[in-house]
């Protein structure tokens, strides 16, 4: 049985998010967190009976915050808030994203600054542990005042309304799924509706998931680049430590060392090291791979610092402070997350772009140094990998469009009360598409470079690159007459998705 992820004083890690979102690890609210939640709730209940209005407890929301709500209507106010704000539209959001969103909202609830009842936090934990996933739609968040529509869909499910996916993936009414799991639907009390929906949890969850994917994909990019350098009779001398030390970016140094190690022991590289080789230097797409991949690594590292700060945060409005004050704030604004989500889309597009350029060189008889045109078995009759590069080019073009930032846009809402928003959710959604596109582009370079290395026989590739080719050959045949290429691209992509390289 998996170890539960504890929600309490210990800061949630990126690894914790992956464990729950993708690995279905259970969650557990610690005793200290239970005490903090109970203490904060006591302050809310005191304010609920006070004559002075408190935002989120005895008033309306957004532009309606000036409306004082009588005590007998305050529970209805919270339920109405959740129902009305669950106004999303479009395709269902992926299960892992919804699980990350619910986990991160629960993390804030367990922090003791929202004022929810302990039973509400416990019900959310039980919903996660039962594998119940609220149906969240793609559109409905402006990345400010929280990911409102997505979080409202999750909150609505907690109250037994709306639709969910059960542990088997079936679409069922939320009330039925809760009942089967032995979970009592939550009847919202003062402040709880607002506390359940006022956070940046969706965009943060997508950032954390993307960061994990990108760490691995940049390793794959180093591998596919090394294979391409080898296949194109490039040199490994440019990856030497003393050259990289002249420009001491940590990501660049790491990528260069990885590429040098991957090429170590290559008969192909050794075959053109002698005085007979007249080539002075390789093309940028080969020689500058560590500079591009390394800059992407450093961008990921910066984004990780932002993600880690957010994982240590408690985002709600208003918040309950330790001394009992309930204060409005602007911490729900998604700008810190939105900026790095947009930032990451730029190196993703560029890493894909340089990979496509390397692939194109292997297919061009004028630049491939002895490889057959398009790596075709019988050029003219066969087209080889010609159209695989078209697919790469189409994806790279799309990635360039996705690199246009969402966070520079803002569209006013709530009768101008919320007059500047982050669009962080939109930045996160397009980054997910970008990550998927990069994976496919690298899969095509991997497929092409493996074929090119086979065509360099009898010279043998480096042990590390040969091992990668061998893994591919389990599901994809070596060079030969034209075959249906789409399944081979999919097989290469699956190897990458499964972390097999």
């Amino acid at each position: 049985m998996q170890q539960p992820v504890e929600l309490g004083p210990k800061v949630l890690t990126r690894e914790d998010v992956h464990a729950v979102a993708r690995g279905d690890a259970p969650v557990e609210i610690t005793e200290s967190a239970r005490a903090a939640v109970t203490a904060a709730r006591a302050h809310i209940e005191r304010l609920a009976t006070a004559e002075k209005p408190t935002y989120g407890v005895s008033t309306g929301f957004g532009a309606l915050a000036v409306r004082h709500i009588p005590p007998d209507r305050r529970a209805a106010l919270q339920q109405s808030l959740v129902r009305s704000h669950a106004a999303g539209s479009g395709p269902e959001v992926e299960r892992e994203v919804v699980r990350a969103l619910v986990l991160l909202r629960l993390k804030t609830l367990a922090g003791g600054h929202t004022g929810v009842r302990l039973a509400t936090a416990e019900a959310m934990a039980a919903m996660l542990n039962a594998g119940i996933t609220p149906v969240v739609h793609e559109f409905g968040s402006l990345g400010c005042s929280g990911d409102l529509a997505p979080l409202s869909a999750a909150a609505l499910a907690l109250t037994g309304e709306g639709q969910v996916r059960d542990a088997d993936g079936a679409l069922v009414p939320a009330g039925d799924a809760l009942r089967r799991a032995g979970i009592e639907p939550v009847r919202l009390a003062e402040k709880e509706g607002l506390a359940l929906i006022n956070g940046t949890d969706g965009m943060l969850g997508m950032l954390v998931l993307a960061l994990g994917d990108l760490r691995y994909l940049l390793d794959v990019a180093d591998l596919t680049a090394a294979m391409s350098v080898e296949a194109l009779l490039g040199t490994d001398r440019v990856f030497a430590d003393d050259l990289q030390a002249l420009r001491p970016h940590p990501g660049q140094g790491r990528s260069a060392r990885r590429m040098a190690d991957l090429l170590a022991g290559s008969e192909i590289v050794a075959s053109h090291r002698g005085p007979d080789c007249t080539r002075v230097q390789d093309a940028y797409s080969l020689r500058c791979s560590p500079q591009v991949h390394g800059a992407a690594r450093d961008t990921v590292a910066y984004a990780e610092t932002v993600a880690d700060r957010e994982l240590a945060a408690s985002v709600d409005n208003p918040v309950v402070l330790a001394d009992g004050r309930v204060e409005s704030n602007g911490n729900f604004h998604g700008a810190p997350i939105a900026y790095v989500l947009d930032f990451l889309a730029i190196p993703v597009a560029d890493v894909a772009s340089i990979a496509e350029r390397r692939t194109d060189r292997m297919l061009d008889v004028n630049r491939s140094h002895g490889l057959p045109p398009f790596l075709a078995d019988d050029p003219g009759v066969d087209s080889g990998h010609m159209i695989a590069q078209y697919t790469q080019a189409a994806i790279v073009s799309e990635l360039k469009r996705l690199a246009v930032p969402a966070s520079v846009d803002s569209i006013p809402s709530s009768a101008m009360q919320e007059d500047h928003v982050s669009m962080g959710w939109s930045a996160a959604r397009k980054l997910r598409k970008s990550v998927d596109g990069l994976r496919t582009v690298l899969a095509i370079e991997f497929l092409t470079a493996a074929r090119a290395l086979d065509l360099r026989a009898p010279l043998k590739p480096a042990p590390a690159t040969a091992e990668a080719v061998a893994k591919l050959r389990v599901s994809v045949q070596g060079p030969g007459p034209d075959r249906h290429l789409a399944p081979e691209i999919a097989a290469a992509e699956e190897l990458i998705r499964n972390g097999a390289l």
Side-chain angles (χ1 to χ4, degrees), residues 100-110 114 124 151 194-201 314-316:
L101 174 151
V102 174
L103 168 68
L104 293 170
R105 184 75 318 224
L106 178 58
K107 180 266 300 182
T108 288
L109 299 186
T114 67
M124 183 172 277
L151 281 164
L194 193 58
L196 289 170
I197 70 173
N198 210 336
T200 50
D201 308 288
S314 184
V315 176
D316 192 16

Side-chain angles (χ1 to χ4, degrees), residues 372-373 375-384 451 480-482:
L375 307 186
D377 185 66
D378 183 3
V381 173
D382 293 325
S383 296
R451 188 181 182 102
D482 279 357

Side-chain angles (χ1 to χ4, degrees), residues 24-43:
D24 288 347
V27 298
E28 186 177 273
I29 302 172
T30 66
E31 288 302 319
S32 58
R34 291 168 182 272
V37 169
T38 301
R41 182 62 199 176
H43 296 308

Side-chain angles (χ1 to χ4, degrees), residues 220 223-233 268 286 352 354-365 367-368 371-377 383-393 439-457 461 465 468-469 472-473 476-480 482-483 485-493 495-496 501:
V220 173
L223 169 64
T224 59
M227 293 171 69
S228 295
V229 168
E230 194 174 19
L232 286 163
L233 305 183
I268 299 173
L286 308 181
I354 198 171
E356 181 273 331
R357 289 292 80 207
R358 292 188 298 258
T359 303
D360 184 64
R361 295 188 76 83
M362 287 184 280
L363 303 180
D364 183 353
V365 69
R367 295 179 291 150
S368 66
L371 292 171
F374 302 105
L375 307 186
D377 185 66
S383 296
H385 281 203
M386 178 192 295
I387 307 305
Q389 183 268 330
Y390 282 37
T391 299
Q392 271 190 323
R439 186 182 297 110
T440 303
V441 168
L442 293 177
I444 293 172
E445 183 183 19
F446 176 44
L447 194 72
T448 303
R451 188 181 182 102
L453 288 174
D454 283 346
L455 290 170
R456 292 295 183 190
T465 56
V469 174
L472 179 66
R473 293 290 169 252
V476 175
Q477 297 177 34
D482 279 357
R483 305 182 292 265
L485 202 51
E488 298 190 358
I489 295 171
E493 192 169 356
L495 274 175
I496 296 172
L501 295 183

Side-chain angles (χ1 to χ4, degrees), residues 276-298:
D276 294 338
C277 182
T278 59
R279 290 168 60 193
V280 177
Q281 56 187 11
D282 294 327
Y284 285 9
S285 59
L286 308 181
R287 188 173 13 135
C288 302
S289 292
Q291 284 74 16
V292 174
H293 298 180
R297 286 183 182 279
D298 291 341

